[in-house]
Amino acid sequence: MSTIEMPKPDRSVIDRKALIVDALCKVLPFDSVIFDEHETRAYECDGLTAYRCPPMVAVLPRTSQECAAAMRVCHEMNVTVVPRGAGTSLAGGALPTADCVILGTARLKDVLEVDYDNRIIRVQTGVTNLSVTGMVEDDGYFYAPDPSSQLACAIAGNIAMNSGGAHCLKYGVTTNNLLGVKMVMSDGEIVEIGGGAMDAPDLDLLGLICGSEGQLGIVTEATLRILPKPEGARPVLIGFDSAEAAGECVGNIIKSGVLPVAIEYMDRPCIRVVEKFAKAGYPLCEALLIVEVEGSEAEIADQLSRITKIARALNPVEVRVSESAEQSALIWKGRKSAFGAMGQINDYMCLDGTVPVSELPYTLKRIGELSKQHGLDVANVFHAGDGNLHPLILYRASEQGVNERVKALGGAIMNLCLEVGGSISGEHGVGSDKRCYLDQMFRAEDLVTMQWVRLAFDPLGRANPGKIFPTPQSCGESLRRSVQLQAEGQSLPEEAIVY
């Protein structure tokens, strides 16, 4: 891929590496500080593997207090810190710089409290998403957000990016299931925000922190909402001969007042590969919907009847209602394995944007047209119920000049999302990869306000630099510094301008 413009490394910091390592080793166990240049390469990138830069040092604290101690050292020695969960970010959210300290949550693994009476679980944020459900499912509970990477991704990253998943149509994304956090500020202060209550009083600081991509502080503990398992659940598989018909079906289901737990979409390129990989029995059609409902048997039957009626009005090529747990598992097996299956045959760039559900037919049509214009195939697999798109741009990395074409097509699709009233991110965050589109989504004065909010938490901008906010270089000079950071007489102090 083309180069991401990151903050230039501070040579004076790199020259003090030995002193910084020594200071960190004085406040952390020796095995928690990683500074050998061969070992730090393990942290040179996240899920966006096209861009790499080994950090100066990585630290792996086991407690909030150790995390705070590391942050105090970095604050006192003027070192930037890049938080890292499990490293599954697809937007370069944990991309380091050569003069930074990576602060990983991998050893924050403890379950601190399970309270079934109040339906909460309190965990350290290094635990994986799927393991949260694993801790409570034998007692009849589950944790709702379920990103595709849930087997590997950490709660820390879920909070940073406000992750969603297939079943978030009904239950909401991370912010709707996060009740409280313990967070370490950039100067090492430990603060607690929210708690076990469903709605904390005063300012909604929790809503500000969730999705802030580690730029306001590092969340080390989280209080999460857990829910009783539904009485039952059943999916229906609906195939169409056009993407537009499938998109219209999604809109009609939502308009009808039926609220499925999930509506997932796959198109022909994805269906073909997934079927070969998972053998889920999918029909080879242009577009496929998986719609799941839950409740009692009577509720499930009623919802499925209404959904299939809506679908049949659009002349589907197939409607298949699951009749057993085995059939349901097979239907979901294909969807859950989609990204892995695509990776076996192609390199791909996974995009993440959202559009209004009513705009799905037009958006899918335009993505097909853009695919042809750029001479690159696109496979679509996404959370259709809330319009969260995940187009996969397929390419061969060995092909000369293909990286620029992939980036250009990705940019065109992001601009399309904005054109129809959507967003450049649904759950993957902005990171370092998509920040050049932020000025197209927000006004200059909005960006200034965001920077002021960030500086209220991190006055020197040392937490996760080079993410979210655009720079002139990252946008091909499309956003001049003066326009980006000044609006109607507002300005940020020069020493506090951060990216």
Side-chain angles (χ1 to χ4, degrees), residues 306-339:
R306 294 164 67 185
I307 289 167
T308 55
K309 182 179 180 180
I310 291 168
R312 292 187 192 283
L314 295 168
N315 300 313
V317 297
E318 184 169 344
V319 176
R320 186 192 312 164
V321 177
S322 171
E323 299 297 342
S324 67
E326 291 74 22
Q327 289 182 14
S328 297
L330 200 57
I331 287 172
W332 278 111
K333 179 184 177 184
R335 170 60 184 90
K336 288 289 187 179
S337 62
F339 289 96

Side-chain angles (χ1 to χ4, degrees), residues 79-226:
V79 182
T80 57
V81 177
V82 174
R84 179 185 174 98
T88 57
S89 168
L90 294 171
L95 184 64
T97 52
D99 59 346
C100 84
V101 169
I102 283 276
L103 196 151
T105 65
R107 293 180 182 172
L108 295 169
K109 292 286 193 181
D110 289 346
V111 180
L112 305 172
E113 179 186 6
V114 179
D115 181 349
Y116 291 124
D117 290 336
N118 291 301
R119 298 181 181 178
I120 62 171
I121 182 171
R122 189 162 59 91
V123 298
Q124 288 187 310
T125 55
V127 302
T128 62
N129 174 285
L130 189 61
S131 70
V132 176
T133 290
M135 296 165 196
V136 297
E137 62 182 347
D138 287 346
D139 295 306
Y141 288 81
F142 74 106
Y143 177 60
D146 60 338
S148 295
S149 60
Q150 65 180 156
L151 184 63
C153 65
I155 292 298
N158 289 180
I159 293 170
M161 300 302 183
N162 192 19
S163 301
H167 290 85
C168 290
L169 173 60
K170 180 173 182 178
Y171 294 111
V173 293
T174 299
T175 192
N176 306 111
N177 294 274
L178 177 67
L179 301 177
V181 298
K182 179 176 284 188
M183 185 171 78
V184 179
M185 307 288 281
S186 61
D187 62 357
E189 180 185 0
I190 298 175
V191 299
E192 294 193 34
I193 298 170
M198 287 296 174
D199 191 10
D202 302 321
L203 295 174
D204 183 17
L205 295 178
L206 196 62
L208 185 65
I209 290 162
C210 188
S212 62
E213 303 196 19
Q215 291 201 324
L216 305 185
I218 297 179
V219 177
T220 56
E221 297 178 14
T223 302
L224 308 172
R225 181 171 67 155
I226 53 175

